[in-house]
Amino acid sequence: MAFLLSRRVTNCIARTLEICADSQSRFQVAACLPPVGATSVAIQRCLAGLRVRMEAAGVDQHFRTLKTFFSWYVESCLIGEHPVRIC
């Protein structure tokens, strides 16, 4: 995937790449939709579902990774609005 390639190019360590891939895949399975169709509600549901089976620190790691992931999507002009930004 292009997002993971962009992380490799910026010299992310292997563990960071694993975390990014894991968060991305968990989100896509939990939300049942591709990133382009993601909404804030879908992301909140995904994170709430993770909260049931993970500690807060793990959920926060997924949140931060998804935030980075969707920032990249916006910067790459693949989506218009950032669905993770919470006002």
Side-chain angles (χ1 to χ4, degrees):
M1 156 149 244
F3 172 68
L4 293 176
L5 177 61
S6 76
R7 299 298 91 191
R8 282 188 190 100
V9 169
T10 58
N11 292 325
C12 286
I13 63 171
R15 182 64 185 136
T16 299
L17 294 173
E18 289 172 18
I19 290 169
C20 288
D22 181 53
S23 293
Q24 189 176 354
S25 120
R26 281 182 196 249
F27 169 71
Q28 287 179 308
V29 167
C32 298
L33 48 92
V36 174
T39 64
S40 292
V41 172
I43 292 166
Q44 290 170 16
R45 282 187 186 136
C46 175
L47 293 172
L50 291 176
R51 185 63 194 244
V52 171
R53 56 185 185 258
M54 286 183 142
E55 292 188 23
V59 176
D60 185 57
Q61 176 65 57
H62 283 286
F63 171 77
R64 289 191 318 268
T65 302
L66 287 174
K67 200 170 169 183
T68 300
F69 174 63
F70 284 106
S71 291
W72 177 83
Y73 255 73
V74 170
E75 291 166 8
S76 299
C77 298
L78 297 171
I79 59 174
E81 292 184 30
H82 198 302
V84 181
R85 295 192 190 230
I86 299 174
C87 299

